[in-house]
Amino acid sequence: MTKKLLMGNEAFAHAALEAGVAVVAGYPGTPSSELIETVAKRVQAGAAENVHVEWSTNEKAALELLAGASYAGARTLFTCKQVGLNVASDPLMSLNYVGVEGGCVIYVADDPGPISSQTEQDTRRFASFAKIPALDPASVEQGVEMLPCAFALSERYRTPVIMRPTTRVCHSSTFVDVAEKTQGAPVKGFSKDDSRWVIFPARAYRGHKEINGRLAKIADEFSGVCASETPSGLPSEDLSRFNPIENHGDAPKIGIACGGVSTAYAKEALSILEHAAKQAASAADVAGGERGEALPSYRFMQIGTPFPFPEVRVDEFLDGLDAVIVFEELDSVIEDGLVHVAGLRAARGKSAPRVLGRASGACRDAGENDADDIVERLSKFFDEALLRREGVSGDELMRKIEERANARARAREAEAPNLDIELPARPPVLCAGCPHRGSFYACKQALKKMRVRGIFSGDIGCYTLGNAKPLDAVDTCLCMGAGITMAQGLGVADPAAKQLAFVGDSTFFASGITGVANAVYNQHDITVCVLDNSTTAMTGGQPHPGTGNTLMGPKSAPLSIERVLEALGVECIEFANPHHLDESIDAVTKAVSFEGPSAVIFRAPCVNLVKPEAPVSINAETCTVCKKCITSIGCPAIGFNGEVATIDETLCTGCGLCTQVCLFGAIAPARQSA
């Protein structure tokens, strides 16, 4: 073993390899992407043997591939981000009914914030909907411990198992012990069994009953109650260590429940409050005054296995408590579970505490939690507990809680340094030299010259940034591949407008082909603009079928976008280098003028794949300060110093688009300006 400083996703990759994973597949999506990339590096270095790893065409393809490998007994790992699970949901729902043979872990990284996603959907809810066990690590260390348990749990109950870290767990770093070499676990091979592997209605009915039965036993394992038998015959395991309970002080009457990284935030907040209470007590001792109130006794629980909910363990946590506050991110999953168990306790004549959290309005109902916010919410929670203990209630209780909160706010404001600094805004923008900028600008200019109105349907990727001014060239964005089909619907409802749909090269293969087929089949008059920059740029430059590069080393023949379009029946296909403005405008004009489905393939590599050319230069004498170069294309390498336009040579890639936009020839390539 060697100790290494690893990002969460990297650490989880090592944990999966050490657990004997043999087949790994997924589709890039922040914050999950580094896991597969780490596995690939280990395979290429010869440190992970008997392991197949790939970026699949999309999440659905990846999970179906892994289902087949699992049927044959291989330990498999699927990776995606939360919205990627939507794409894989079709096979996942049926896979749970059929079951698995080799351990199958569904690694889904949720993105509170959201930091780089369309939604804040909570995979814990998906787990409940799909009836699939879910693990929710609070830290990298706990996630590393959970992964081998997830594979073992999957094999014991022949069920897929979801592991759901969030961005701050995936992208935080810590020291982890890693093995020098790993081996994929031996695979016994597929055994034909029509009664098990073929999902006819009778099999689905039987599978549903199997699901319900195993979930009850898994919930017991999560609570520390060992099952008498499992579907595989393998012994059950006490997994209650992922749902730890701690008592702080004597006879606590209040509780704090947490899930995921909010556990770390809450513990940090408690440390801050405890330190503040000790400081206040020490100051009072020195001054000879009253010591004030210490923190009340409390009980703390992390729920690391949110589904199936560990009711027996939670019942133990709730026993004797008057109130519980819940800190979790995205949805009120733990809060709802606690309310359910509290209701069961009440029905049995036991004490039932009040449960406060996101649904009740006591905690944030969207975005990420943080320690500072939890400090204030815990302060109010503790204030209420102490005041109730003193007999304060009703309106007086609310008034005093608010008074204390206001006093803390005034104290913070008085202690805060007076920094009269306004940080500059840094909106997201396409990179200097990005070929997408020329594609969008050419499309707008073509429609302007044609004197027609257009609607630009966008998609998920770097090119979504085309919606920002001055380009203002993305009118819709829903989900991957939707731009092509949404353009068809917009064309039906608004036939007077020309419909242009933008899709990246990776997204074209992932989820765009079906929309093109639909356009040809139903003869929708749309123009598909494929922005081919030879990579999956938004998530870190991963390969895709159009590049031919694979994670296993050998290069396959790249799939041709134009040949796919031809095979689907698209008759008008134009090509353009988006850095060549007139060429691009001409291509768009021809494609938009064509009646029926057409396409423009804008082809130029991502700036991160090529060496930049010499930067352009501004002729100060020729520049008229019209600012068209700035207000037309919005390249971050172009600025203004109050007198003339300027070029930031550290950003400029020499793409030359601005030289074609300038009406007065004031911008020239470096080689012409000498």
Side-chain angles (χ1 to χ4, degrees):
M1 288 283 188
T2 303
K3 191 174 287 292
K4 292 185 177 181
L5 179 64
L6 298 176
M7 181 192 293
N9 284 335
E10 295 172 324
F12 301 147
H14 283 275
L17 289 169
E18 289 169 31
V21 70
V23 187
V24 185
Y27 187 79
T30 304
S32 71
S33 303
E34 295 87 0
L35 194 156
I36 278 189
E37 291 168 347
T38 302
V39 172
K41 289 175 184 175
R42 298 285 290 177
V43 170
Q44 290 166 356
E49 298 178 343
N50 300 326
V51 177
H52 174 88
V53 57
E54 69 172 54
W55 286 125
S56 300
T57 306
N58 65 15
E59 293 88 350
K60 183 177 187 292
L63 186 53
E64 290 165 349
L65 177 147
L66 294 173
S70 176
Y71 287 5
R75 281 195 162 182
T76 61
L77 179 66
F78 167 84
T79 78
C80 70
K81 66 188 297 177
Q82 84 280 14
V83 288
L85 190 58
N86 300 337
V87 182
S89 61
D90 191 10
L92 182 61
M93 298 296 290
S94 297
L95 180 62
N96 195 31
Y97 273 64
V98 172
V100 300
E101 185 64 27
C104 180
V105 175
I106 313 296
Y107 180 91
V108 185
D110 279 5
D111 187 22
I115 297 170
S116 61
S117 305
Q118 308 98 288
T119 72
E120 279 197 305
Q121 71 187 59
D122 193 326
T123 297
R124 297 175 301 166
R125 289 289 192 204
F126 202 111
S128 174
F129 170 61
K131 297 190 173 183
I132 295 173
L135 306 177
D136 186 17
S139 64
V140 176
E141 293 88 346
Q142 190 178 60
V144 167
E145 183 183 358
M146 279 181 172
L147 255 174
C149 294
F151 281 111
L153 180 68
S154 175
E155 288 174 354
R156 275 199 302 282
Y157 291 96
R158 292 174 174 163
T159 176
V161 173
I162 289 174
M163 180 162 159
R164 176 254 190 189
T166 54
T167 302
R168 301 302 177 185
V169 174
C170 294
H171 286 171
S172 60
S173 296
T174 190
F175 284 96
V176 179
D177 290 322
V178 300
E180 296 293 335
K181 271 204 165 187
T182 58
Q183 290 270 349
V187 179
K188 63 183 180 181
F190 180 71
S191 297
K192 181 179 173 61
D193 185 350
D194 294 350
S195 67
R196 184 176 176 190
W197 303 125
V198 182
I199 190 166
F200 283 124
R203 174 69 185 96
Y205 175 79
R206 191 172 73 252
H208 197 180
K209 293 178 71 68
E210 291 168 0
I211 289 170
N212 294 335
R214 68 183 175 230
L215 285 177
K217 293 179 179 180
I218 293 171
D220 283 343
E221 285 199 20
F222 290 167
S223 291
V225 180
C226 290
S228 57
E229 60 181 62
T230 65
S232 65
L234 297 169
S236 61
E237 184 180 356
D238 180 356
L239 297 178
S240 62
R241 66 184 181 279
F242 298 133
N243 300 309
I245 299 173
E246 307 166 5
N247 284 309
H248 295 261
D250 298 326
K253 290 295 182 181
I254 57 175
I256 303 166
C258 301
V261 74
S262 295
T263 307
Y265 298 148
K267 287 188 173 182
E268 182 181 349
L270 287 164
S271 296
I272 292 169
L273 290 172
E274 288 165 358
H275 178 69
K278 287 178 182 178
Q279 281 192 319
S282 297
D285 288 342
V286 171
E290 293 186 10
R291 298 195 60 170
E293 298 167 332
L295 297 188
S297 297
Y298 63 90
R299 187 175 296 154
F300 189 97
M301 182 178 187
Q302 178 211 348
I303 297 178
T305 64
F307 186 80
F309 203 64
E311 291 187 4
V312 174
R313 186 74 166 161
V314 169
D315 184 72
E316 177 187 343
F317 166 71
L318 294 181
D319 194 42
L321 299 182
D322 295 331
V324 177
I325 190 167
V326 183
F327 296 106
E328 55 187 322
E329 287 182 336
L330 298 183
D331 237 338
S332 57
V333 173
I334 294 173
E335 182 182 1
D336 293 350
L338 291 176
V339 169
H340 174 72
V341 176
L344 292 177
R345 288 180 61 84
R348 295 168 187 153
K350 295 182 178 181
S351 62
R354 294 177 301 116
V355 179
L356 310 172
R358 288 188 166 226
S360 66
C363 299
R364 284 179 176 168
D365 64 352
E368 295 182 285
N369 288 325
D370 59 65
D372 291 340
D373 181 73
I374 293 179
V375 163
E376 182 54 32
R377 295 180 190 278
L378 280 177
S379 296
K380 287 185 176 181
F381 184 61
F382 288 157
D383 284 345
E384 181 178 351
L386 292 167
L387 289 166
R388 284 184 182 275
R389 192 171 64 188
E390 295 171 3
V392 182
S393 61
D395 292 342
E396 179 71 3
L397 175 66
M398 295 300 103
R399 184 182 65 78
K400 288 197 171 186
I401 291 173
E402 195 62 29
E403 281 180 358
R404 294 187 178 199
N406 291 336
R408 286 192 297 271
R410 287 193 297 271
R412 285 195 302 272
E413 188 174 339
E415 294 172 1
N418 185 19
L419 300 176
D420 190 17
I421 299 173
E422 186 174 345
L423 295 175
R426 188 176 180 270
V429 64
L430 293 169
C431 299
C434 175
H436 301 335
R437 180 175 286 104
S439 303
F440 286 126
Y441 186 69
C443 288
K444 294 195 75 173
Q445 291 303 300
L447 295 191
K448 185 177 180 180
K449 288 185 176 182
M450 295 172 70
R451 297 185 178 182
V452 297
R453 180 170 63 93
I455 300 175
F456 292 179
S457 294
D459 216 303
I460 304 299
C462 293
Y463 45 95
T464 311
L465 296 173
N467 77 313
K469 293 185 182 305
L471 290 173
D472 192 21
V474 173
D475 299 322
T476 74
C477 183
L478 183 63
C479 62
M480 286 188 67
I484 296 173
T485 32
M486 287 187 69
Q488 298 166 40
L490 284 162
V492 170
D494 190 357
K498 291 294 183 180
Q499 304 297 331
L500 281 72
F502 296 88
V503 64
D505 44 342
S506 179
T507 304
F508 175 81
F509 291 110
S511 53
I513 295 174
T514 305
V516 175
N518 193 71
V520 174
Y521 173 56
N522 290 292
Q523 279 301 291
H524 289 286
D525 185 17
I526 68 166
T527 298
V528 178
C529 300
V530 184
L531 309 181
D532 182 4
N533 64 356
S534 302
T535 190
T536 312
M538 187 180 187
T539 53
Q542 294 82 7
H544 60 73
T547 69
N549 296 320
T550 71
L551 288 178
M552 292 297 289
K555 182 177 174 67
S556 62
L559 298 189
S560 166
I561 293 171
E562 49 266 44
R563 290 181 68 182
V564 171
L565 290 169
E566 289 169 359
L568 290 171
V570 179
E571 296 178 7
C572 176
I573 304 173
E574 301 294 330
F575 300 87
N577 181 333
H579 297 312
H580 300 163
L581 184 56
D582 289 341
E583 174 187 317
S584 298
I585 292 174
D586 185 56
V588 174
T589 303
K590 289 178 180 177
V592 172
S593 299
F594 182 82
E595 290 293 329
S598 62
V600 179
I601 300 176
F602 290 102
R603 187 161 279 154
C606 172
V607 293
N608 291 312
L609 299 180
V610 293
K611 183 179 178 180
E613 300 289 337
V616 300
S617 62
I618 303 284
N619 186 328
E621 295 180 1
T622 310
C623 179
T624 64
V625 199
C626 70
K627 297 185 182 179
K628 182 175 176 60
C629 55
I630 297 174
T631 60
S632 294
I633 57 176
C635 178
I638 307 175
F640 183 68
N641 66 5
E643 296 179 359
V644 294
T646 60
I647 298 294
D648 185 337
E649 295 187 356
T650 64
L651 292 178
C652 180
T653 65
C655 73
L657 180 63
C658 58
T659 68
Q660 302 162 72
V661 170
C662 180
L663 299 175
F664 303 97
I667 311 177
R671 61 181 178 274
Q672 295 179 9
S673 62

